[in-house]
Amino acid sequence: MLSRVADSLYWMSRYLERTEQGARVLGARFDAILEESPTAAARGWARLTAALGVDPPAEEDEPQTAFARRLTFDRLDPGAILGQIRMARENARQVREEIGADLWVHLNRLYLELVEPETEALWQAEPVTVYGRIVDGIRLVRGVADATMHHGEGWHFLGLGQYLERTLQTIGLIDSFFDWPQTGELGEGDLILLLRSAGAIEAYNRVYTAQYMPGVVAGYLLFDRGFPRSVRFSVERLNGEIAAIAGQEHGRTRGPAGRMAQRILAEIDFNAADSLDGTRLHPLLQEVRVALGEIHAAIIATHVAYTVEAAIAG
Amino acid sequence: MSESKRASEDGDPSKAGAESNVEPFPARSGPWAEGLFARYSFGRAVDEMFERPGVPLPHASALYARLAELSSDELARRQAQVEHAFLTQGITFTVYGEGQETERIFPTDLVPRLITAADWDRLERGLTQRIAALNLFLGDIYGEGKVLRDGIVPADLILGSKNYLRAMRGLKVPHGTYVSICGSDLVRCEDGNFAVLEDNLRVPSGVSYMLANRAVVKRAFPNIFRELNVRPIDHYGRALLATLRAMAPPRAERPRIALLTPGVFNSAYFEHAFLARQMGIELVEGRDLAVHDNVLYMRTTSGLARVDVIYRRIDDDFIDPLRFRRDSMLGVPGIVNAYRAGNVTIANALGTGVADDKAVYAFVPALIKYYLGEEAIIPNVETYLCRRPAERDYVLANLDKLVVKAVGESGGYGMLVGPHATKAQREEFHARVSAHPDSYIAQPTLALSTAPCFVEDGIEPRHVDLRPFILTGRETVIVPGGLTRVALRRGSLVVNSSQGGGSKDTWVLGT
């Protein structure tokens, strides 16, 4: 397929994943806010900006709701929910022939619903409902992609973007809560909020029952092979997508991206054997993050941004 | 009913209505008197639905009866459905300004325009004849130049045209087909007959609206659609693909075909993506393509892949920065050399614009006679060439009655509609035509036929034209239908989408 198309699919998928996680984190934040002390709330918003990788409020006294509205409805800010859906939509618009009419229509509808003034009015009253709808809307788009697209190279580029972004998001989320040296302070409420933000609370309870210990929760989000948003699970899928994309070429090995993904898996499995503490957690997360950056660079260099001369010679 | 029969039955159709285009017909009774059609008015123009006030043409009586049953609320609901379908499908264009981007749908009207089987039969034969002559003409002027030596068309008009491309001289194109995709603009004149207003031989657009209109309008009127035995058009994509395949260089056994778009900011981008999807071909931009050793490649995730046919939706000027505009970022450096080497076919061929020039247009009936030995089945609109002194003087003396058009402009720009122009505008055109007579033509102000359109809470007549799409590879295929463009403002004659026009579905009736 066209390199540009692969690139657009990959980014469309990354933006969708980023939006889904952003909406989930914001929804969990607003859900928690009713029962929080002001100090806890301030710490919560600080964690949120760290997890989503967005700038904290420019002015210290910007009200939290104004800040949250910006993070949700600013359609020109690539850090905001609407800005990201807009980017996903712009990428989708340029590859409509690849994704098919159904997928486009659902993504377009999600965008059009969000820009309606009624949505912002609803958000004023019921922010959690709006974030829930956004998450649902993206799940619908994903479901339509799965059910209607040809599961070929383009579809694998969607998977590549999805799982690479998902890994980054889960890492960011864990890191924002386990910001050593405060790890010891994480209470049950924090851990529940972390699991909610990861969409993991019910899945976790099924495995460990409703008992929350920092090491266990972090371990679940990092190492669990069955939870679909864990780092282990996401990198395993990412590895599969890399292999699928490479497998469609003649006479090429998995190359640097595949080797990098397998190295992350080995690293994770090696660390999973021991119990976690804050001193090891952050460096491990950082290592995975760097490796993901290298996977991204390797994929782009091999499939998208190569030179004509190199391709003719090769 | 044939066009000529219709004209003779009605006698002089201009007498059928009042003199003005907007004056309501006085005597009304029954469903015609009140309700949806209460504001329907008649003028000089013939109407696509009514023989005379309150009396539908025989082929339109079923549709009229159905419309008369509906309330305006019901029509408004269906109109809203149609518009919603366009919006969710992204059949929109973006208006930029002051940091805001607004997406608008292309205005569409839900009342279909009907064309009889007999009318269509004549149009099909006439358009096939016309494109055959135009392709022969292009082959001639880029080859031997016989038509110029024989004095049928003035040589300076062709060789001096900015649209005549020397890069095309002596180049053989498959099947002698220069124009694979043509979108001719037809109008129905006061005598009830169709005439060709313009040949669009470069990159005609609008076919996606023909298809999108059909997809939504047939659902808005499902029963009447079935009842009228409307001929299908949804095979257009397959017909286009077959045409492009036929244009592949002989070397390519399984040709790879790509649609070249200027990109997402182009107003026709929706159409480019739509057609690529319908055909299952790649939608490429200039940056996706590269030429190496006169071979055209596209950049894929697994390396370079050879491309055999380019369906280009990008103008000549922008297609190759090495040949034409050096500042163009949209084109592909070296693509013209690959084309000249016979390694890739570009459709439409480059340099076809020389033949849809507004001055060359006047010669098309003569070209049909010259190349085919036939009379033109569909006439031209009477055209005055200001390059001829006598005609120029006539034009200058009658600026208040004529439509003056700049040669080499398209999209409704550079145009004077005499009867609607101010004195200052007419004076400006007087000066321009006097100074550069070669650059202008003039035509009588046409009373384009009107068709019923749903406007606010009633049905009113609006002026329409018709753009069918003519496909030619080895042979010519015309999907029975076309884009009916509508001048949405009351009394306006300008149907171009860039100038506030809309469109409606066109139903060619089966026999």
Side-chain angles (χ1 to χ4, degrees), chain B residues 37-148:
Chain B
F37 287 90
R39 292 200 305 269
Y40 214 87
S41 56
F42 288 83
R44 213 150 59 86
V46 295
D47 192 82
E48 298 284 338
M49 177 173 265
F50 295 104
E51 201 173 314
R52 52 180 197 276
V55 181
L57 291 157
H59 69 270
S61 58
L63 178 62
Y64 172 59
R66 181 77 189 103
L67 287 171
E69 281 167 27
L70 297 172
S71 67
S72 79
D73 285 351
E74 177 58 23
L75 272 177
R77 194 184 62 78
R78 293 183 192 197
Q79 175 75 35
Q81 263 176 2
V82 166
E83 287 173 5
H84 183 74
F86 271 52
L87 187 63
T88 52
Q89 288 176 66
I91 311 179
T92 55
F93 62 102
T94 309
V95 183
Y96 297 93
E98 317 217 339
Q100 285 276 347
E101 351 169 309
T102 318
E103 285 178 22
R104 303 232 176 99
I105 63 162
F106 282 98
T108 186
D109 179 78
L110 86 168
V111 183
R113 180 252 190 102
L114 308 183
I115 292 179
T116 62
D119 274 354
W120 180 256
D121 175 63
R122 188 180 174 81
L123 290 181
E124 194 173 29
R125 284 185 291 116
L127 292 167
T128 305
Q129 175 197 54
R130 195 170 174 101
I131 197 63
L134 286 166
N135 272 317
L136 288 167
F137 173 62
L138 283 161
D140 193 356
I141 59 174
Y142 286 122
E144 294 176 62
K146 261 182 95 239
V147 71
L148 306 180

Side-chain angles (χ1 to χ4, degrees), chain A residues 1 4 89 96 153 306, chain B residues 89 103 288 299-301:
Chain A
M1 77 188 312
R4 176 179 54 81
R89 177 173 177 261
R96 288 185 60 165
E153 201 181 3
Y306 56 83
Chain B
Q89 288 176 66
E103 285 178 22
D288 298 323
R299 306 166 54 93
T300 78
T301 50

